[in-house]
């Protein structure tokens, strides 16, 4: 196996990227890289994910959790995994292990919806669910019905009429208050001080509630519907309030019970499969909300989250842990495995990824959507596809074997302004979405390795 791989790696690839960029193409072929992924996977005891029965994975379209029979539930959720209401229902299904099939639908801010969907749901809103063929909309209603329809699954709500249930209901109202205070501060530039005070007071109340039941979850030691309902918003709050207001919600011990709650959530595979990262959230929120208002104090956080601080998306990457800046991440990282995961995704989907990245040196197209990082009508720079392909094979090889071993030789050491490979790598780097494309630690590796290619080609 190793012998045949070595042969493949040694075969020079004939196409030349040097005419349009500053490097010659001696990167391994995709076939050789695929073999390398398998070799590394075997060494690290890593396997391609089992989408139907394995841990929560955004790529899955059918989940049976090892149970027989036809799933009674069909979930419609958004394609990019940006919608917080979809995340709640998704997380509930995963936590309860209710078998379901899935259809991904675009949100208006990044694409069109299929006519079959708007015929079913004229408002076009997501999420929606079919239970035994009957359509249900509104996330709270969907979640209530799921609790009732699957009494044999782990209940996420205390029984009706109990004190615990009253507390759960009151905490759900607190979640809506937090949502409203968060949006008031996030989306308006006026009333900054008053909005901030209101937000902090409500966060104090949330933190106190998390302490009252002894934690780590809202109702005590077990996860409940309250955690599922809070999770999408607390995740978005931590990201957006840092990025737009320069205010740290998580990781500095300001709200200790909340820090503990984040860590307890991040110990759950179901949550981790749905969890996004700060970069994705801060760019997916404005098109959904119609804009977010930033303040000058946020400049450092903006640079760090956007990977423009010279550190957060550059090799060697700073360690990832529960106090990392800008983004705490309590499960930590496994850099070798994270790089393998990123490489496996790039290699496994390389034809589509090359064409997608080459939009960076292609034509932007008309703009029917509002999300800045989405341009569904863009077309790739066809002339440069081979060079972009070569650049991304170097990235995959560097992810698998390290940048030193990748053998990238930059020809003339000069800057090539407007280099189409650089433009394509930047385009792809800024559009790696979490969790849609990769989990956060692997996405960070891919972004940093794309930056390594960019820096190398730019001669810096
Ligand atoms: N109250 C609804 C709100 C759902 C909602 O606002 N969904 C947004 C996405 S977060 C939506 O589908 N918007 C239409 C679109 O963006 O296409 C629920 O809880 O399900």
């Amino acid at each position: 196996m190793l012998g045949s791989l070595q042969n493949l790696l040694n075969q020079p690839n004939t196409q030349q990227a040097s005419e349009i960029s500053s490097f010659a193409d001696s990167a391994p072929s995709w076939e050789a890289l695929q073999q390398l992924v398998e070799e590394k996977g075997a060494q690290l005891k890593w396997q391609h994910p089992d989408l139907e029965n394995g841990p929560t994975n955004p790529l899955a379209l059918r989940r049976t959790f090892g149970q027989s029979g036809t799933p009674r539930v069909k979930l419609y959720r958004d394609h990019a995994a940006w919608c917080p209401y979809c995340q709640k229902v998704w997380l509930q299904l995963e936590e309860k292990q209710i078998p379901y099939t899935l259809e991904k639908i675009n949100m208006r801010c990044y694409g069109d919806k299929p006519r079959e969907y708007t015929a079913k749901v004229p408002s076009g809103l997501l999420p929606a669910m079919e239970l035994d063929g009957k359509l249900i909309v509104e996330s709270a209603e969907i979640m209530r019905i799921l609790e009732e329809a699957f009494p044999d699954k782990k209940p996420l709500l205390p029984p009706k009429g109990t004190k615990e249930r009253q507390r759960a209901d009151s905490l759900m109202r607190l979640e809506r208050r937090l949502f409203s205070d968060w949006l008031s501060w996030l989306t308006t530039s006026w009333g900054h001080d008053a909005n901030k005070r209101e937000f902090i007071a409500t966060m104090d109340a949330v933190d106190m509630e998390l302490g009252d039941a002894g934690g780590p979850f809202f109702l005590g030691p077990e996860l409940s519907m309250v955690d599922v309902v809070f999770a999408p918003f607390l995740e978005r709050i931590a990201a957006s309030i840092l990025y737009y207001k320069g205010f740290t919600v998580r990781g500095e011990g300001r709200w200790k019970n909340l820090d503990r709650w984040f860590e307890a959530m991040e110990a759950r595979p179901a949550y981790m499969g749905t969890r996004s990262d700060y970069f994705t959230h801060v760019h997916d929120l404005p098109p959904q909300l119609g804009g977010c208002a930033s303040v000058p104090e946020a400049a450092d956080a903006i640079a760090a989250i956007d990977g423009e601080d010279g550190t957060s998306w550059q090799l060697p990457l700073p360690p990832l842990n529960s106090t990392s800046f800008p983004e705490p991440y309590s499960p930590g990282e496994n850099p070798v495995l994270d790089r393998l995961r990123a490489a496996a995704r790039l290699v496994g989907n390389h034809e589509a990824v090359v064409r997608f990245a080459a939009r960076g040196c292609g034509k932007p197209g008309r703009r029917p959507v509002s999300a800045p990082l989405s341009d569904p009508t863009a077309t790739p720079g066809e002339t440069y596809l081979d060079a972009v392909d070569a650049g991304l094979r170097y990235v995959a090889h560097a992810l698998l074997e390290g940048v030193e071993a990748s053998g990238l030789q930059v020809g003339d050491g000069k800057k090539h302004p407007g280099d189409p490979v650089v433009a394509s790598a930047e385009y792809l780097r800024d559009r790696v979405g979490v969790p849609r494309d990769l989990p956060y630690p692997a996405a960070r590796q891919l972004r940093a390795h794309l930056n390594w290619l960019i820096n190398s080609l730019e001669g810096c």
Side-chain angles (χ1 to χ4, degrees):
M1 183 72 169
L2 199 63
S4 64
L5 173 63
Q6 218 48 58
N7 286 344
L8 277 167
L9 289 173
N10 290 339
Q11 274 169 24
N13 194 307
T14 48
Q15 83 201 28
Q16 293 297 309
S18 53
E19 286 158 33
I20 48 167
S21 192
S22 55
F23 65 101
D25 177 8
S26 59
S29 66
W30 290 114
E31 191 191 4
L33 290 163
Q34 184 63 53
Q35 254 186 300
L36 200 48
V37 166
E38 303 307 329
E39 296 268 329
K40 288 264 164 192
Q43 270 167 27
L44 297 171
K45 304 200 179 350
W46 173 83
Q47 282 169 347
H48 291 278
D50 173 354
L51 298 184
E52 186 160 338
N53 303 305
T56 308
N57 191 311
L59 300 177
L61 294 176
R62 179 185 168 87
R63 298 281 285 159
T64 55
F65 308 98
Q67 298 160 48
S68 55
T70 309
R72 294 173 58 198
V73 172
K74 178 169 182 183
L75 172 67
Y76 297 87
R77 75 158 169 85
D78 81 300
H79 231 286
W82 287 2
C83 163
Y85 301 96
C86 299
Q87 189 186 357
K88 286 194 292 190
V89 179
W90 182 18
L91 184 53
Q92 183 192 18
L93 287 166
E94 290 287 330
E95 282 289 352
K96 292 175 79 80
Q97 303 212 330
I98 297 173
Y100 66 97
T101 56
L102 176 71
E103 189 172 331
K104 295 182 189 170
I105 304 287
N106 286 331
M107 286 171 69
R108 280 187 205 101
C109 62
Y110 59 77
D112 290 332
K113 290 181 202 287
R115 210 162 280 156
E116 301 78 52
Y117 187 71
T118 44
K120 268 191 225 275
V121 183
S123 67
L125 282 184
L126 293 157
M129 170 179 83
E130 280 162 3
L131 175 65
D132 302 323
K134 182 170 178 276
L135 183 79
I136 299 142
V137 291
E138 284 296 321
S139 58
E141 183 65 358
I142 295 172
M143 293 174 89
R144 187 187 67 73
I145 288 176
L146 283 174
E147 282 303 300
E148 280 174 9
F150 294 90
D152 54 322
K153 299 284 178 193
K154 178 175 78 176
L156 289 178
L157 274 174
K160 277 185 190 153
T162 59
K163 256 171 106 179
E164 290 74 23
R165 178 60 171 263
Q166 267 176 15
R167 178 153 187 272
D169 291 343
S170 125
L171 285 168
M172 308 267 211
R173 288 193 292 276
L174 178 62
E175 187 274 329
R176 286 293 84 186
R177 194 176 113 205
L178 177 64
F179 171 75
S180 142
D181 290 341
W182 165 55
L183 283 196
S184 300
W185 190 24
L186 181 66
T187 58
T188 48
S189 43
W190 45 267
H192 174 87
D193 293 339
N195 285 334
K196 181 176 176 179
R197 264 198 311 278
E198 279 296 306
F199 170 79
I200 290 177
T202 307
M203 285 296 290
D204 286 344
V206 169
D207 193 68
M208 206 182 70
E209 291 288 356
L210 274 167
D212 274 359
F217 298 110
F218 277 93
L219 298 188
E222 297 293 329
L223 177 114
S224 74
M225 186 83 104
V226 181
D227 303 287
V228 174
V229 164
F230 265 95
F233 293 98
L234 283 171
E235 193 184 302
R236 285 158 180 77
I237 285 170
S240 60
I241 290 296
L242 179 62
Y243 187 87
Y244 292 101
K245 307 296 173 186
F247 182 87
T248 304
V249 167
R250 184 188 172 190
E252 279 189 350
R254 188 192 300 272
W255 288 299
K256 290 202 164 46
N257 298 315
L258 184 64
D259 285 343
R260 181 178 59 174
W261 178 86
F262 272 118
E263 294 192 10
M265 290 301 289
E266 287 177 353
R268 307 186 75 87
Y271 175 64
M272 292 313 280
T274 72
R275 182 196 182 279
S276 201
D277 72 338
Y278 283 13
F279 177 78
T280 305
H281 278 324
V282 301
H283 295 291
D284 74 37
L285 284 167
Q288 293 181 68
L289 300 174
C292 297
S294 63
V295 296
E297 302 89 280
D300 288 350
I302 291 175
I305 293 172
D306 283 343
E308 285 168 0
D309 60 348
T311 311
S312 55
W313 289 9
Q314 296 292 338
L315 297 176
L317 282 168
L320 203 51
N321 54 44
S322 60
T323 56
S324 302
F325 181 82
E327 177 157 3
Y329 186 82
S330 57
E333 58 183 340
N334 180 337
V336 178
L337 206 54
D338 298 331
R339 287 197 290 270
L340 173 63
R341 285 198 180 106
R345 198 84 171 88
L346 172 56
V347 174
N349 201 19
H350 64 88
E351 274 174 42
V353 179
V354 168
R355 289 194 69 78
F356 179 80
R359 288 174 173 188
C361 59
K363 291 213 185 84
R366 78 196 158 82
R367 266 211 85 67
V369 297
S370 59
L373 293 182
S374 179
D375 52 4
T377 61
T379 47
E382 300 284 344
T383 334
Y384 307 120
L385 283 176
D386 285 350
V388 175
D389 186 278
L392 293 186
R393 279 184 283 111
Y394 274 112
V395 169
H397 196 201
L399 281 163
L400 288 163
E401 302 228 277
V403 292
E404 302 304 334
S406 79
L408 174 65
Q409 301 268 336
V410 180
D412 52 16
K414 284 190 235 137
K415 270 190 185 238
H416 285 240
D419 184 328
V421 180
V422 168
S424 303
E426 287 173 344
Y427 186 92
L428 178 60
R429 177 198 64 195
D430 295 340
R431 286 162 180 80
V432 175
V434 175
R436 181 195 56 199
D437 304 321
L438 286 168
Y440 175 50
R444 201 171 77 113
Q445 291 287 352
L446 179 53
R447 291 166 183 153
H449 282 75
L450 286 163
N451 267 342
W452 158 77
L453 177 71
I454 293 163
N455 296 343
S456 308
L457 297 185
E458 286 191 327
C460 51

mmCIF file of all heavy atoms in Angstrom, residues 78 82-86 88 106-109 111 113 117 123-127 137-142 176 288, ligand 1:
data_model
loop_
_atom_site.group_PDB
_atom_site.id
_atom_site.type_symbol
_atom_site.label_atom_id
_atom_site.label_comp_id
_atom_site.label_asym_id
_atom_site.label_seq_id
_atom_site.Cartn_x
_atom_site.Cartn_y
_atom_site.Cartn_z
ATOM 1 N N ASP A 78 -32.416 24.862 7.134
ATOM 2 C CA ASP A 78 -31.698 25.643 6.122
ATOM 3 C C ASP A 78 -30.360 24.999 5.774
ATOM 4 O O ASP A 78 -29.680 24.416 6.620
ATOM 5 C CB ASP A 78 -31.544 27.102 6.564
ATOM 6 C CG ASP A 78 -30.403 27.303 7.535
ATOM 7 O OD1 ASP A 78 -30.440 26.696 8.618
ATOM 8 O OD2 ASP A 78 -29.462 28.044 7.193
ATOM 9 N N TRP A 82 -27.541 28.140 9.262
ATOM 10 C CA TRP A 82 -27.485 29.478 9.871
ATOM 11 C C TRP A 82 -28.688 29.760 10.778
ATOM 12 O O TRP A 82 -28.626 30.611 11.642
ATOM 13 C CB TRP A 82 -27.502 30.557 8.783
ATOM 14 C CG TRP A 82 -26.239 30.686 8.007
ATOM 15 C CD1 TRP A 82 -25.093 29.942 8.123
ATOM 16 C CD2 TRP A 82 -25.993 31.639 6.957
ATOM 17 N NE1 TRP A 82 -24.163 30.377 7.216
ATOM 18 C CE2 TRP A 82 -24.681 31.412 6.486
ATOM 19 C CE3 TRP A 82 -26.756 32.659 6.372
ATOM 20 C CZ2 TRP A 82 -24.110 32.173 5.467
ATOM 21 C CZ3 TRP A 82 -26.195 33.416 5.351
ATOM 22 C CH2 TRP A 82 -24.881 33.171 4.904
ATOM 23 N N CYS A 83 -29.810 29.064 10.531
ATOM 24 C CA CYS A 83 -31.076 29.433 11.181
ATOM 25 C C CYS A 83 -31.132 28.875 12.612
ATOM 26 O O CYS A 83 -31.075 27.663 12.815
ATOM 27 C CB CYS A 83 -32.234 28.890 10.350
ATOM 28 S SG CYS A 83 -33.800 28.823 11.216
ATOM 29 N N PRO A 84 -31.255 29.765 13.618
ATOM 30 C CA PRO A 84 -31.258 29.288 15.006
ATOM 31 C C PRO A 84 -32.486 28.452 15.346
ATOM 32 O O PRO A 84 -32.405 27.531 16.165
ATOM 33 C CB PRO A 84 -31.251 30.586 15.828
ATOM 34 C CG PRO A 84 -31.730 31.660 14.904
ATOM 35 C CD PRO A 84 -31.353 31.238 13.511
ATOM 36 N N TYR A 85 -33.617 28.738 14.698
ATOM 37 C CA TYR A 85 -34.844 27.989 14.996
ATOM 38 C C TYR A 85 -34.729 26.558 14.456
ATOM 39 O O TYR A 85 -35.223 25.615 15.042
ATOM 40 C CB TYR A 85 -36.069 28.705 14.408
ATOM 41 C CG TYR A 85 -36.208 30.107 14.953
ATOM 42 C CD1 TYR A 85 -35.706 31.212 14.261
ATOM 43 C CD2 TYR A 85 -36.797 30.327 16.197
ATOM 44 C CE1 TYR A 85 -35.799 32.488 14.776
ATOM 45 C CE2 TYR A 85 -36.901 31.603 16.721
ATOM 46 C CZ TYR A 85 -36.394 32.684 16.007
ATOM 47 O OH TYR A 85 -36.472 33.945 16.531
ATOM 48 N N CYS A 86 -34.040 26.440 13.307
ATOM 49 C CA CYS A 86 -33.796 25.095 12.763
ATOM 50 C C CYS A 86 -32.847 24.335 13.687
ATOM 51 O O CYS A 86 -33.010 23.129 13.916
ATOM 52 C CB CYS A 86 -33.150 25.174 11.379
ATOM 53 S SG CYS A 86 -34.152 26.008 10.153
ATOM 54 N N LYS A 88 -32.506 24.485 16.879
ATOM 55 C CA LYS A 88 -33.192 23.962 18.067
ATOM 56 C C LYS A 88 -33.856 22.620 17.769
ATOM 57 O O LYS A 88 -33.731 21.663 18.526
ATOM 58 C CB LYS A 88 -34.345 24.913 18.476
ATOM 59 C CG LYS A 88 -33.947 26.181 19.115
ATOM 60 C CD LYS A 88 -35.153 26.847 19.773
ATOM 61 C CE LYS A 88 -36.182 27.359 18.813
ATOM 62 N NZ LYS A 88 -37.218 28.200 19.443
ATOM 63 N N ASN A 106 -32.810 26.561 1.007
ATOM 64 C CA ASN A 106 -32.088 27.835 1.134
ATOM 65 C C ASN A 106 -32.869 28.834 1.965
ATOM 66 O O ASN A 106 -34.105 28.865 1.924
ATOM 67 C CB ASN A 106 -31.904 28.480 -0.251
ATOM 68 C CG ASN A 106 -30.855 27.766 -1.072
ATOM 69 O OD1 ASN A 106 -29.927 27.179 -0.531
ATOM 70 N ND2 ASN A 106 -31.016 27.813 -2.387
ATOM 71 N N MET A 107 -32.142 29.704 2.653
ATOM 72 C CA MET A 107 -32.773 30.906 3.186
ATOM 73 C C MET A 107 -32.719 31.952 2.072
ATOM 74 O O MET A 107 -31.819 31.915 1.230
ATOM 75 C CB MET A 107 -32.006 31.411 4.411
ATOM 76 C CG MET A 107 -32.258 30.522 5.611
ATOM 77 S SD MET A 107 -31.185 30.916 6.988
ATOM 78 C CE MET A 107 -31.837 32.497 7.465
ATOM 79 N N ARG A 108 -33.667 32.895 2.121
ATOM 80 C CA ARG A 108 -33.735 33.883 1.025
ATOM 81 C C ARG A 108 -32.449 34.671 0.884
ATOM 82 O O ARG A 108 -32.090 35.089 -0.202
ATOM 83 C CB ARG A 108 -34.879 34.871 1.287
ATOM 84 C CG ARG A 108 -36.200 34.296 0.916
ATOM 85 C CD ARG A 108 -37.310 35.326 1.008
ATOM 86 N NE ARG A 108 -38.551 34.608 1.233
ATOM 87 C CZ ARG A 108 -39.132 34.487 2.413
ATOM 88 N NH1 ARG A 108 -38.619 35.065 3.478
ATOM 89 N NH2 ARG A 108 -40.235 33.781 2.545
ATOM 90 N N CYS A 109 -31.755 34.880 2.012
ATOM 91 C CA CYS A 109 -30.564 35.732 1.946
ATOM 92 C C CYS A 109 -29.405 35.061 1.223
ATOM 93 O O CYS A 109 -28.406 35.708 0.943
ATOM 94 C CB CYS A 109 -30.152 36.208 3.339
ATOM 95 S SG CYS A 109 -29.702 34.878 4.452
ATOM 96 N N GLY A 111 -30.189 32.244 -1.321
ATOM 97 C CA GLY A 111 -30.600 31.476 -2.502
ATOM 98 C C GLY A 111 -32.111 31.383 -2.648
ATOM 99 O O GLY A 111 -32.864 31.943 -1.840
ATOM 100 N N LYS A 113 -35.774 29.294 -2.972
ATOM 101 C CA LYS A 113 -36.404 28.106 -2.367
ATOM 102 C C LYS A 113 -37.097 27.320 -3.471
ATOM 103 O O LYS A 113 -37.685 27.915 -4.372
ATOM 104 C CB LYS A 113 -37.453 28.539 -1.343
ATOM 105 C CG LYS A 113 -36.843 29.166 -0.105
ATOM 106 C CD LYS A 113 -37.906 29.550 0.896
ATOM 107 C CE LYS A 113 -37.403 30.609 1.849
ATOM 108 N NZ LYS A 113 -36.459 30.143 2.839
ATOM 109 N N TYR A 117 -41.401 23.620 -1.977
ATOM 110 C CA TYR A 117 -41.402 24.021 -0.567
ATOM 111 C C TYR A 117 -42.379 25.179 -0.338
ATOM 112 O O TYR A 117 -43.181 25.146 0.593
ATOM 113 C CB TYR A 117 -39.993 24.402 -0.094
ATOM 114 C CG TYR A 117 -39.956 24.655 1.407
ATOM 115 C CD1 TYR A 117 -40.083 23.600 2.302
ATOM 116 C CD2 TYR A 117 -39.859 25.942 1.926
ATOM 117 C CE1 TYR A 117 -40.100 23.816 3.679
ATOM 118 C CE2 TYR A 117 -39.866 26.177 3.301
ATOM 119 C CZ TYR A 117 -39.986 25.102 4.170
ATOM 120 O OH TYR A 117 -40.014 25.311 5.530
ATOM 121 N N SER A 123 -45.204 30.922 3.423
ATOM 122 C CA SER A 123 -44.338 31.975 3.987
ATOM 123 C C SER A 123 -42.871 31.696 3.669
ATOM 124 O O SER A 123 -42.027 32.580 3.771
ATOM 125 C CB SER A 123 -44.501 32.038 5.511
ATOM 126 O OG SER A 123 -43.973 30.840 6.076
ATOM 127 N N GLY A 124 -42.549 30.461 3.314
ATOM 128 C CA GLY A 124 -41.156 30.078 3.027
ATOM 129 C C GLY A 124 -40.315 29.914 4.286
ATOM 130 O O GLY A 124 -39.131 29.607 4.217
ATOM 131 N N LEU A 125 -40.944 30.122 5.463
ATOM 132 C CA LEU A 125 -40.163 30.092 6.713
ATOM 133 C C LEU A 125 -39.647 28.692 7.028
ATOM 134 O O LEU A 125 -40.277 27.684 6.713
ATOM 135 C CB LEU A 125 -41.021 30.569 7.881
ATOM 136 C CG LEU A 125 -41.245 32.075 8.040
ATOM 137 C CD1 LEU A 125 -42.035 32.345 9.315
ATOM 138 C CD2 LEU A 125 -39.949 32.861 8.048
ATOM 139 N N LEU A 126 -38.503 28.689 7.704
ATOM 140 C CA LEU A 126 -37.881 27.457 8.204
ATOM 141 C C LEU A 126 -37.775 27.565 9.718
ATOM 142 O O LEU A 126 -37.654 28.677 10.232
ATOM 143 C CB LEU A 126 -36.482 27.310 7.597
ATOM 144 C CG LEU A 126 -36.458 27.074 6.084
ATOM 145 C CD1 LEU A 126 -35.134 27.489 5.497
ATOM 146 C CD2 LEU A 126 -36.745 25.602 5.802
ATOM 147 N N PRO A 127 -37.805 26.488 10.448
ATOM 148 C CA PRO A 127 -37.928 25.114 10.004
ATOM 149 C C PRO A 127 -39.384 24.735 9.732
ATOM 150 O O PRO A 127 -40.305 25.467 10.092
ATOM 151 C CB PRO A 127 -37.419 24.333 11.224
ATOM 152 C CG PRO A 127 -37.855 25.164 12.396
ATOM 153 C CD PRO A 127 -37.733 26.582 11.926
ATOM 154 N N VAL A 137 -45.461 23.770 11.230
ATOM 155 C CA VAL A 137 -44.494 24.869 11.170
ATOM 156 C C VAL A 137 -44.389 25.503 12.561
ATOM 157 O O VAL A 137 -45.141 25.142 13.456
ATOM 158 C CB VAL A 137 -44.892 25.945 10.118
ATOM 159 C CG1 VAL A 137 -44.768 25.390 8.708
ATOM 160 C CG2 VAL A 137 -46.291 26.466 10.372
ATOM 161 N N GLU A 138 -43.468 26.437 12.705
ATOM 162 C CA GLU A 138 -43.180 27.130 13.974
ATOM 163 C C GLU A 138 -42.379 26.196 14.892
ATOM 164 O O GLU A 138 -42.881 25.167 15.359
ATOM 165 C CB GLU A 138 -44.442 27.591 14.714
ATOM 166 C CG GLU A 138 -45.094 28.825 14.115
ATOM 167 C CD GLU A 138 -44.195 30.053 14.213
ATOM 168 O OE1 GLU A 138 -43.509 30.235 15.239
ATOM 169 O OE2 GLU A 138 -44.153 30.820 13.241
ATOM 170 N N SER A 139 -41.153 26.611 15.182
ATOM 171 C CA SER A 139 -40.247 25.720 15.922
ATOM 172 C C SER A 139 -40.812 25.304 17.288
ATOM 173 O O SER A 139 -40.684 24.135 17.677
ATOM 174 C CB SER A 139 -38.876 26.380 16.087
ATOM 175 O OG SER A 139 -38.990 27.607 16.758
ATOM 176 N N ALA A 140 -41.453 26.238 18.008
ATOM 177 C CA ALA A 140 -41.946 25.882 19.352
ATOM 178 C C ALA A 140 -43.020 24.800 19.247
ATOM 179 O O ALA A 140 -43.066 23.856 20.050
ATOM 180 C CB ALA A 140 -42.489 27.116 20.064
ATOM 181 N N GLU A 141 -43.872 24.930 18.220
ATOM 182 C CA GLU A 141 -44.944 23.957 18.007
ATOM 183 C C GLU A 141 -44.347 22.602 17.581
ATOM 184 O O GLU A 141 -44.758 21.545 18.066
ATOM 185 C CB GLU A 141 -45.871 24.533 16.920
ATOM 186 C CG GLU A 141 -47.084 23.715 16.606
ATOM 187 C CD GLU A 141 -48.066 23.600 17.772
ATOM 188 O OE1 GLU A 141 -47.798 24.128 18.866
ATOM 189 O OE2 GLU A 141 -49.100 22.924 17.573
ATOM 190 N N ILE A 142 -43.371 22.651 16.706
ATOM 191 C CA ILE A 142 -42.723 21.412 16.254
ATOM 192 C C ILE A 142 -42.112 20.690 17.462
ATOM 193 O O ILE A 142 -42.288 19.480 17.642
ATOM 194 C CB ILE A 142 -41.615 21.725 15.211
ATOM 195 C CG1 ILE A 142 -42.222 22.320 13.937
ATOM 196 C CG2 ILE A 142 -40.797 20.480 14.895
ATOM 197 C CD1 ILE A 142 -41.205 22.833 12.931
ATOM 198 N N ARG A 176 -36.752 34.301 25.699
ATOM 199 C CA ARG A 176 -37.299 35.298 24.756
ATOM 200 C C ARG A 176 -36.924 36.724 25.195
ATOM 201 O O ARG A 176 -36.700 37.598 24.368
ATOM 202 C CB ARG A 176 -38.833 35.167 24.630
ATOM 203 C CG ARG A 176 -39.310 33.978 23.822
ATOM 204 C CD ARG A 176 -38.961 34.048 22.337
ATOM 205 N NE ARG A 176 -37.643 33.577 22.004
ATOM 206 C CZ ARG A 176 -37.083 33.641 20.790
ATOM 207 N NH1 ARG A 176 -37.728 34.165 19.783
ATOM 208 N NH2 ARG A 176 -35.878 33.198 20.578
ATOM 209 N N GLN A 288 -29.578 38.085 8.067
ATOM 210 C CA GLN A 288 -30.850 37.604 8.640
ATOM 211 C C GLN A 288 -31.562 38.703 9.409
ATOM 212 O O GLN A 288 -32.780 38.735 9.479
ATOM 213 C CB GLN A 288 -30.593 36.439 9.601
ATOM 214 C CG GLN A 288 -30.075 35.181 8.931
ATOM 215 C CD GLN A 288 -29.877 34.056 9.949
ATOM 216 O OE1 GLN A 288 -30.827 33.534 10.508
ATOM 217 N NE2 GLN A 288 -28.636 33.696 10.190
HETATM 218 N N1 LIG B 1 -41.260 31.833 14.633
HETATM 219 C C1 LIG B 1 -40.585 31.034 13.638
HETATM 220 C C2 LIG B 1 -39.407 31.823 13.144
HETATM 221 C C3 LIG B 1 -38.702 31.123 12.025
HETATM 222 C C4 LIG B 1 -37.828 32.061 11.236
HETATM 223 O O1 LIG B 1 -37.803 33.284 11.460
HETATM 224 N N2 LIG B 1 -37.086 31.502 10.291
HETATM 225 C C5 LIG B 1 -36.252 32.292 9.442
HETATM 226 C C6 LIG B 1 -34.829 31.820 9.480
HETATM 227 S S1 LIG B 1 -34.057 32.079 11.039
HETATM 228 C C7 LIG B 1 -36.712 32.084 7.992
HETATM 229 O O2 LIG B 1 -37.057 30.999 7.599
HETATM 230 N N3 LIG B 1 -36.686 33.142 7.195
HETATM 231 C C8 LIG B 1 -36.958 33.041 5.780
HETATM 232 C C9 LIG B 1 -35.727 32.916 4.993
HETATM 233 O O3 LIG B 1 -34.693 33.451 5.423
HETATM 234 O O4 LIG B 1 -35.734 32.334 3.941
HETATM 235 C C10 LIG B 1 -40.150 29.718 14.271
HETATM 236 O O5 LIG B 1 -39.894 29.703 15.494
HETATM 237 O O6 LIG B 1 -40.082 28.704 13.571
#
